[in-house]
Every structure is written in C-alpha cells, then in structure tokens.
Amino acid sequence: MTIDNQLAALRRGAAEIISEEDLRKKLQEGRPLRIKLGVDPTIAHVTLGWAVVLRKLRDFQKFGHTACLVIGDFTAQIGDPSGKSKTRPQLTREQVQENVAAVSKQVYKILDPELTEISYNRDWLGAMSFEDVIRLASRYTVARILERDDFTKRLKEERPIAMHEILYPLCQGFDSVELRADVELGGNDQKFNNLVGRTLMSQYGQDPQVVLLMPLLVGTDGKEKMSQSLGNYISVVDTPRDMYGKTMSIPDHLLENWFVLCTDVPLEEIKELVGASQAGTLNPRDAKRRLAKEIVTLYHSAQAAEEEDNYFIETFSKRNQPVEAEEASIPEDMVSEGQVALHVLIGRLGLAKSNGDAKKLIEAGAVSLDGEKATGLMVPVADLKGKVLKVGKHQFRKLS
RNA sequence: GGGGAGAUGCCCGAGUGGCCAAUGGGAACAGACUGUAAAUCUGUCGGCGAGAGCCUUCGCAGGUUCGAAUCCUGCUCUCCCCA
C-alpha cells in the first residue's frame, strides 16, 4: 500500500493531525511506528466513543505499527482536570490489573493483541523523586499551562484549581518521552495534553510525536460526549438488542458523525445516505437502521444484526407484542390470596428503580399486560401468567 | 497574616425559626404525537409502605428551642480583596 493510501485511511474521520507532513515523513521511514494511546484504568466498559480511537489505532496496526497502550494508573490519581472529578484514591497495582484484564477482553475485539504493548505509567512517574518533578515542572511555564481551556474557564468562574492538577498535562507529556512515541492518538479534548507531549519530547532531544485527534463521539443523548459516567453510552459488549435499540434512539443529527466514526462504510456512501435522508428521499429512520446494523455487525455478527432489525420493525414499528420476550417467573412468596402486587413484582424484576418508582410508572400508564394498560396495583395471578409485561418503552417480560 | 463572601436535593439556584421532602429552571424518567429522531404538550421526579404514616436529606459536629435548612459554638472546604 502506498504512503498516500495509508495517509488517506488514517485521515478518515480525524479531527486534526499535527502535522500531516510529519506523519508522512514518519511513515516513509518504513519502520513500525510506536502509536501511543493513554488508557484510564478506572473504566469498566469500552464504549463506542472510546472505540473511535481504538479503531484508529487498529488502522495503524493494519499497516504494521505497534499500539502502545499506557495505563494511566499514576495519572488516574490526579484525574484529568476537567474540574468535575475530585482527586481520586490511588488504586493498587492489583486492582488496576484486574480492571485492565477485564477491559482488555473488550479492547481486543478491536485491536490486534500481537501488535499491542501495554505499560503502566506508575512505573516511571511513581519512581520520580521530588527533585525530578521540579526539574520536569521547570520545562513548562504557568502561563502556558493556564492556556488550557479547563483552567482558563475555571479561573474565570472563580472555581478552584489545585496545584497538582496543573501537573497533569506534564505527566501525560512525559509518558510520551518515556515511550518514545511516534504518534499519540487521542480524542479531540486531549489536544492540549498531547501537544505538551510534543514540547517535552523536543526538550528531551527527541523527535516530537505526531498528534492525531479524533472527534468526540456524541452520546446517545445527542448532547454530551459519550462517556461512562454520563450513562449515554453504548458498550461494545452490549447485547445486540441494546446496541441496536440505543443506536435507533440517537437524534438524527448524529447520523453522519456516527457513520463516519463508528463504521467502515465508505465515505461516499455515507454522504449519499445522509444526503438522501436530509433531502427526504430516504426516511432517516432507515438510514439509522443501516447504521444500527453496521454497528451490531461489527461487534456481534451480520446475522445478529438482521435479527435485531426484524425485531425492531416487528416490535416497535408495527407495535406488535415481541415474538420472544425474556421469561420471568412470578416468585411464589409474592402471591397472597391469589393476588400479586404488580409494582412490587416490577421492582423485584428490576424493571424499575424501586417499588415506589414502579408504582409511579403504573400511574403514568407506562405498564401494560399483553398490550392492555395496567391500572390497579393488585392483580390476580391468573391474569398475569402467560402474559407479556411491558414496562416503559422497551422492557418486556413474559410472565410465567 | 488581615478583611470579606459562600457551602441547599443529579446540576444550577430560591428559601433566614413552624404552612419545608424544601419555590423555580435544567437534566432524567414516563404518557400523547412519531420514525425507540427532533419539536411540542402532560405527568412524575429522596427511600420504604396498600394506606395512615415512618425513615433519611439542606458542608461536618455539637448546642438553644415545644419546633432549625433557617439562631449559637466549634470544625472542614471554597472563592475574592489586601500583604
């Protein structure tokens, strides 16, 4: 594959490459490049948002380059200074390794393990003496650190900035020095940190890394970036049903963004799909169905995607009872005098946050049995068995 | 070191002794409408309980009072101004 073709593939979806010329030069050297990606050890899921960057990393692997994952077990104590997170407790190496082991199963759904190298930044950051820290800190100025958006904003809003937070970008930058990274990948919000890496590398006499930034994937809520803590995410290990359903629930304006960042559909085709749905010649819903199928195919299978598409049309478009719903049996101890308290049952089945919540849902008309709205709380068991209980828009249980 | 302001429910923000589980907005959830989209309208929005009601919440710990988010004391944290 020619360098131009490689570049084109790597450029797909990228928000910014600093700089493309540098990247070209590095690619021309013909050796396996070291592509760095920082990993937050506190995460439990690989979300589609993170997958955007991982998929880009995989693109590099396809061209024979090495993925260098840096587990930020040291930096996690600080927490990226978004101002939201407080200083977090130090995790033990064991805890971190457990998390990493759990998450790497998901990561390798995307990455090639053969070309992946994992390191922990506590190994070098934790070993630094106070003197080392001072020396590192002297390489950067306060004014430049405060250029970072978060800091500027917090300063203006009179919100606190702790001393250690301003060291965060330096820590991350130093990782690049330690790893001798050729390229650092990141979400667009990592731009500042990654550029610090460039500066520090030159200061330490290294060839500065190329920074490749991917746009942030907007979450299912259509507003915030997809993240675990906001709950607006799809995990790569979500069931095909959830994955498909959540995708269908994203706002239309996300279509293009998601197609480009989450699928391998060629750009020209995406343009057509998006154009047609905007022009009204294609129902945006159908474009979204395509998107949902692509995503399910990627993480499960084409067959699963087909099945979920059918299920979706049958259950939601045609509003039929689901053909197959998860079975749930009514616990014996809940039956008294032949009656069952419906809200308690819903609570017990985990379909609502609490019994009180379940009661409110019933009052709001969000609960139905075989399509009939439930009204009372006490229901004879006989009227429940064999019926499909629906709670909210998409939770179904076949009672037995 | 000195002076001033502040900490309220998921978030923002009212509330200065009883009518406060706490106005309002946002978020969230649900209903209608739809395409599990958007917009709009409606309802819910601390927990438990069939219910009466009970329990927990207004930075933390004590105190005053029949009664405190509201008053007093101590503590913790944050911001601003001066040095």
Side-chain angles (χ1 to χ4, degrees):
Chain A
M1 199 175 218
T2 68
I3 299 289
D4 281 331
N5 288 343
Q6 288 190 25
L7 264 176
L10 295 173
R11 199 162 38 212
R12 174 186 164 129
E16 200 172 351
I17 301 177
I18 304 168
S19 66
E20 212 170 306
E21 253 335 282
D22 288 353
L23 180 56
R24 178 187 294 276
K25 276 185 211 145
K26 295 217 183 222
L27 290 172
Q28 277 165 343
E29 290 174 31
R31 64 183 167 94
L33 299 177
R34 298 176 56 75
I35 319 297
K36 173 196 170 197
L37 177 66
V39 179
D40 174 359
T42 62
I43 54 156
H45 295 278
V46 174
T47 66
L48 289 193
W50 194 33
V52 169
V53 187
L54 290 174
R55 282 160 49 77
K56 183 56 66 185
L57 194 48
R58 181 217 48 187
D59 288 343
F60 275 97
Q61 288 184 325
K62 281 185 180 160
F63 303 134
H65 305 298
T66 308
C68 304
L69 298 182
V70 189
I71 312 299
D73 56 347
F74 189 87
T75 32
Q77 296 168 64
I78 304 179
D80 200 6
S82 60
K84 284 177 190 161
S85 50
K86 297 262 183 247
T87 301
R88 291 180 273 178
Q90 187 165 325
L91 298 166
T92 65
R93 173 54 67 96
E94 288 69 37
Q95 286 172 309
V96 172
Q97 279 174 342
E98 267 172 43
N99 287 354
V100 171
V103 171
S104 52
K105 277 186 210 135
Q106 302 175 38
V107 167
Y108 291 133
K109 267 175 170 279
I110 299 169
L111 293 186
D112 174 357
E114 294 298 308
L115 286 173
T116 304
E117 188 184 294
I118 294 182
S119 52
Y120 296 80
N121 69 6
R122 190 179 307 166
D123 287 346
W124 52 88
L125 294 177
M128 286 171 87
S129 70
F130 195 58
E131 202 179 336
D132 295 330
V133 176
I134 300 231
R135 206 173 296 135
L136 172 63
S138 71
R139 308 265 188 175
Y140 224 80
T141 67
V142 172
R144 287 206 64 189
I145 283 286
L146 293 181
E147 280 171 13
R148 192 182 140 126
D149 265 11
D150 302 287
F151 293 145
T152 312
K153 212 185 284 171
R154 279 159 74 186
L155 225 38
K156 212 168 71 195
E157 290 170 2
E158 304 186 341
R159 277 167 32 227
I161 298 171
M163 289 295 291
H164 72 292
E165 291 185 274
I166 66 179
L167 294 176
Y168 185 92
L170 292 182
C171 293
Q172 195 173 319
F174 189 73
D175 288 347
S176 295
V177 173
E178 189 65 30
L179 286 177
R180 299 188 157 266
D182 289 297
V183 177
E184 175 158 16
L185 241 49
N188 214 199
D189 56 347
Q190 291 300 309
K191 183 168 173 175
F192 185 91
N193 295 339
N194 295 0
L195 289 176
V196 171
R198 268 173 80 84
T199 308
L200 288 181
M201 288 176 85
S202 348
Q203 297 243 355
Y204 281 82
Q206 298 180 10
D207 186 24
Q209 63 186 4
V210 169
V211 171
L212 194 159
L213 302 167
M214 295 302 289
L216 297 178
L217 187 72
V218 178
T220 51
D221 60 356
K223 291 172 199 132
E224 308 278 351
K225 73 164 182 173
M226 182 178 286
S227 83
Q228 233 185 124
S229 51
L230 293 172
N232 59 353
Y233 68 97
I234 295 178
S235 155
V236 300
V237 289
D238 271 351
T239 61
R241 176 135 321 157
D242 281 348
M243 210 176 252
Y244 189 100
K246 286 184 192 173
T247 303
M248 288 308 284
S249 77
I250 65 169
D252 289 357
H253 69 262
L254 259 41
L255 254 184
E256 181 163 11
N257 184 247
W258 276 49
F259 258 119
V260 173
L261 299 176
C262 301
T263 73
D264 293 322
V265 178
L267 293 177
E268 311 81 67
E269 203 178 336
I270 294 175
K271 205 173 276 180
E272 271 170 43
L273 281 164
V274 174
S277 48
Q278 277 166 355
T281 48
L282 173 70
N283 187 335
R285 181 200 58 176
D286 294 325
K288 222 184 286 177
R289 280 171 63 197
R290 169 72 190 283
L291 174 67
K293 280 194 277 185
E294 290 290 339
I295 292 175
V296 174
T297 303
L298 226 36
Y299 299 106
H300 294 279
S301 66
Q303 193 201 339
E306 242 2 273
E307 282 167 14
E308 289 314 319
D309 189 51
N310 283 333
Y311 175 87
F312 175 80
I313 292 298
E314 286 303 318
T315 310
F316 297 106
S317 294
K318 299 188 183 162
R319 302 201 175 212
N320 290 334
Q321 283 294 316
V323 209
E324 16 82 55
E326 195 177 314
E327 297 264 339
S329 54
I330 302 168
E332 286 301 325
D333 61 304
M334 288 197 50
V335 186
S336 94
E337 295 174 27
Q339 304 258 311
V340 172
L342 191 54
H343 64 292
V344 181
L345 176 66
I346 291 170
R348 193 83 78 85
L349 294 177
L351 300 174
K353 281 181 294 196
S354 65
N355 293 354
D357 191 48
K359 197 159 67 177
K360 284 165 199 155
L361 288 172
I362 293 170
E363 280 162 8
V367 176
S368 63
L369 284 163
D370 270 1
E372 300 259 340
K373 259 184 198 164
T375 46
L377 296 183
M378 299 307 292
V379 182
V381 220
D383 289 358
L384 291 174
K385 295 221 174 196
K387 290 199 176 165
V388 174
L389 171 71
K390 180 185 179 193
V391 179
K393 277 183 197 137
H394 40 252
Q395 292 182 300
F396 299 94
R397 290 290 185 283
K398 186 161 180 85
L399 300 173
S400 59

